[in-house]
Amino acid sequence: GVVETLTSAKIAEVGGANAPPAEAAIEMIASAAMLRRAPRLDDVADTAAFLASDRAKGITATIVNVTSGLVSG
């Protein structure tokens, strides 16, 4: 998912009463990413638009990682 979908209530559902607020969780995600920022919805949308365009016509049979470096490899 992307960080815009994180809320303190959703985090508390998973992490319980001691779960961090959404802002702190987003900062933790950003600090773990290679780009030092959390992935955002517009990052995913821009990548999808590129892949759907003629400029990506040579790209086949691959997975595009839009995690700001949270997942490597």
Side-chain angles (χ1 to χ4, degrees), residues 10-11 15 18 20 22 50 56 60 63 71:
K10 287 181 181 180
I11 295 169
N18 294 325
F50 167 73
T60 60
I63 296 172
V71 178

Side-chain angles (χ1 to χ4, degrees), residues 5 7-8 10 12 14 20 22 26-27 29 33 38 40-41 44 46-48 50-51 55 62-63 66-68 72:
T5 63
T7 64
S8 294
K10 287 181 181 180
V14 175
I26 292 169
E27 287 178 21
I29 291 168
R40 300 183 47 86
L41 185 57
V44 176
D46 289 345
T47 303
F50 167 73
L51 292 171
R55 294 183 301 157
T62 190
I63 296 172
V66 192
T67 64
S68 296
S72 64

